[in-house]
Amino acid sequence: MAGLGMLPRRWRHRCCSLLLPALLVSWVACQAPPVPAGEQPWDGQDVHIERSFVPEQCARTVRSGDFVRYHYHGTFPDGSKFDSSYDRGSTFNAFVGKGQLIAGMDKALVGMCVNERRFVKIPPKLAYGSEGVSGVIPPNAVLHFDVLLIDLWNSEDEVQIQTYLKPEKCTRTIQVSDFVRYHYNGTFLDGTLFDSSHNRMRTYDTYVGIGWLIPGMDKGLLGMCVGEKRIITIPPSLAYGEEGDGKEIPGQASLVFDVALLDLHNPKDGITIENQQVPESCERKSQTGDFLRYHYNGTLLDGTLFDSSYSRNHTYDTYIGKGYVIAGMDEGLLGVCIGEKKRIIIPPHLGYGEEGRGKIPGSAVLVFDIHVIDFHNPLDSVNITTHYKPSNCTVLSKKGDYLKYHYNASLLDGTLLDSTISLGKTYNIVLGSGQVVLGMDMGLRDMCVGERRTVIIPPHLGYGEAGVEGEVPGSAVLVFDIELLELVSGLPDGYMFVWHGDVSPNLFEEIDKDNNGEVFLEEFSEYIQAQVDSGKGKLAPGFDSAKIVKNMFANQDRNGDGKITAEEFKLKDQEATEGHDEL
């Protein structure tokens, strides 16, 4: 049957060709059982309506001139069926009050809500009268219709927007040519779901206002904030029109989109800086080529966390301005101070682009909350600031001197690493002997006892990229606050023992006490120690004296037989080349 019950008499002979495009049958409609006739008496003169179901919410009712899509069962009073839209698998679509329906149906539909169900009795004079429809509807037939309204719109309708969640802070809204990422559920007016980005677990990503979307969605998205949720109701004239989309959406269907905006940017956007906190003291700002250590939390615009250096308990360490990081971060890290905190908002064309990476979806705006821990340049040397210097500063530290000093060691952000003061003992070294990192060796030069200074050491003169596990982070700039407490002058470069005064011309004979022409280690050690004790000689300070003497003996014992002969014995200035710890 081709919808005979819906047509005016003058169209009954051509009813089959006048049906409007089909709509997918909703679950509710397909399951709709026949509604029994009401018990109220009916005089048979006018349309009789029983409202068997009325939805709790009814934002709009049918008026004359509206376009409707509805399902129906058509039966005679004895219950025999003469027509049904369900059997055809498509709604019946028509304008109300414009002569496209039998008069009784025109009256019966007025005032209906979407999802409302009515049982309608129509007398012959408001149906097919005394003529009927040959072979289908006999003359003077009373018609019963079980009607379920699926859709309703008017040719004058525009896009309707209902915002039900809007963030308190909204610094930017969608404008024409913006690129957006959003989730949505798409339904018909009766609530039937036809599409959902949530089901695909992927946002819908598109430009707005340039024709990539149906016109109604283009209009409905304008003015939205990230985090906002709204319901956009679109009439078919601004959606898929009379033809539908050829798939899930039938012709003349109103569409309802429940939209949540996750992301928003424009291809012309640069990076944005927010919540900047700069320390009061900022002696230096980062430049291209600097190596920077910073902490960060990385989120999407909707607040979704995708990465955090804090969770790894390790800073992110990189050169800046050289392409080691995404372009937006390279730009955002230039000109920062140590200790500075700020938010860097990076559009996708300066981030990970259309492809994304890992947990970062394609075309995503990135938000980084960063905290700059330290930075340096590979060309940096040790920086020394003297805070106190005694007036009688005549003896300055040099290579070979034995130093005792206190220090507090920290990172540039103030994190304390170590302190001799807290341990209650000095740190003792021989300057220039490799007992401390090169930067500290440089920082201790030319100090006098009582002097206090701050020494800043870049990592290439400190502990390098590796750092010290559990103590000093890799690539860390170190800050030492130093006070020199004691200085013992060292020996000339290359010497581990020197004489105070003239050297005896019979030195070998003095060492060889038993006069046997051979000196063993015990004799040698006793003699050298006696010279030191009497003040006639001096061993290099800060080293194990026994090891020095043993090394001196080994250098004199040129054939390595464990004894020194007169032929082997030579003074330092008698050597052709330097580099030995001889007398």
Side-chain angles (χ1 to χ4, degrees), residues 57-98:
Q57 294 185 354
C58 181
R60 177 178 184 175
T61 60
V62 177
R63 296 181 297 174
S64 180
D66 286 343
F67 190 90
V68 294
R69 297 171 49 244
Y70 62 93
H71 272 299
Y72 69 90
H73 285 300
T75 62
F76 297 117
D78 64 359
S80 58
K81 180 171 66 174
F82 64 83
D83 192 15
S84 174
S85 64
Y86 295 103
D87 294 344
R88 293 188 300 277
S90 64
T91 57
F92 192 84
N93 308 339
F95 282 98
V96 176
K98 291 190 176 184

Side-chain angles (χ1 to χ4, degrees), residues 278-567:
V278 181
E280 292 183 4
S281 175
C282 180
E283 297 180 358
R284 175 178 178 179
K285 292 186 177 182
S286 60
Q287 299 177 345
T288 296
D290 284 347
F291 190 89
L292 196 142
R293 296 173 54 245
Y294 63 98
H295 271 303
Y296 70 88
N297 285 322
T299 64
L300 305 180
L301 266 187
D302 66 346
T304 302
L305 183 72
F306 62 79
D307 192 18
S308 174
S309 64
Y310 296 99
S311 65
R312 295 188 295 274
N313 197 29
H314 193 287
T315 55
Y316 191 83
D317 308 338
T318 183
Y319 287 97
I320 58 172
K322 291 191 170 186
Y324 285 84
V325 290
I326 56 176
M329 185 61 81
D330 245 349
E331 182 181 349
L333 291 174
L334 289 173
V336 298
C337 303
I338 293 167
E340 182 172 335
K341 296 180 180 180
K342 65 179 177 179
R343 172 171 290 179
I344 306 173
I345 302 175
I346 302 175
H349 51 276
L350 297 176
Y352 291 101
E354 296 181 2
E355 300 301 320
R357 177 185 291 184
K359 296 180 180 180
I360 300 173
S363 300
V365 177
L366 307 179
V367 180
F368 289 93
D369 289 303
I370 69 159
H371 180 198
V372 180
I373 302 301
D374 77 20
F375 65 82
H376 72 279
N377 192 282
L379 300 178
D380 286 349
S381 186
V382 172
N383 181 274
I384 299 173
T385 302
T386 298
H387 303 291
Y388 173 74
K389 198 166 190 174
S391 57
N392 59 340
C393 183
T394 55
V395 178
L396 301 179
S397 58
K398 63 183 184 304
K399 183 179 179 181
D401 287 352
Y402 181 65
L403 307 181
K404 293 184 179 182
Y405 59 95
H406 271 311
Y407 70 82
N408 286 321
S410 63
L411 302 179
L412 274 183
D413 67 346
T415 302
L416 185 66
L417 298 176
D418 191 18
S419 174
T420 58
I421 298 173
S422 64
L423 297 175
K425 60 180 181 180
T426 59
Y427 199 78
N428 309 331
I429 67 161
V430 175
L431 197 58
S433 64
Q435 295 177 351
V436 290
V437 295
L438 181 58
M440 178 61 84
D441 208 305
M442 297 168 65
L444 288 168
R445 303 284 176 110
D446 298 319
M447 283 190 82
C448 56
V449 174
E451 183 176 340
R452 294 191 295 270
R453 59 172 57 170
T454 296
V455 179
I456 300 177
I457 303 174
H460 50 276
L461 297 176
Y463 292 100
E465 294 182 5
V468 179
E469 186 175 357
E471 297 182 34
V472 181
S475 301
V477 178
L478 305 178
V479 180
F480 287 89
D481 291 311
I482 300 169
E483 181 180 7
L484 184 59
L485 301 178
E486 187 176 334
L487 184 158
V488 178
S489 295
L491 305 185
D493 194 18
Y495 285 82
M496 296 301 287
F497 176 84
V498 294
W499 294 96
H500 293 317
D502 296 331
V503 181
S504 170
N506 302 314
L507 183 58
F508 181 81
E509 288 75 9
E510 291 181 13
I511 299 174
D512 182 22
K513 291 184 178 181
D514 56 7
N515 298 316
N516 63 355
E518 298 176 338
V519 174
F520 290 88
L521 177 60
E522 184 176 358
E523 289 178 286
F524 189 82
S525 297
E526 289 179 356
Y527 181 83
I528 295 298
Q529 189 60 51
Q531 306 312 304
V532 171
D533 292 342
S534 65
K536 295 180 179 180
K538 180 180 179 180
L539 290 169
F543 296 100
D544 186 329
S545 59
K547 288 183 178 180
I548 293 177
V549 173
K550 188 175 182 181
N551 187 52
M552 291 170 62
F553 179 85
N555 285 331
Q556 293 289 334
D557 180 16
R558 303 178 189 275
N559 61 8
D561 62 357
K563 57 188 177 182
I564 302 172
T565 63
E567 290 76 17

Side-chain angles (χ1 to χ4, degrees), residues 1-22:
M1 190 65 63
L4 288 176
M6 302 301 103
L7 300 179
R9 294 180 185 177
R10 64 180 181 276
W11 288 352
R12 61 189 178 198
H13 63 284
R14 53 193 178 117
C15 59
C16 294
S17 63
L18 295 175
L19 291 179
L20 299 178

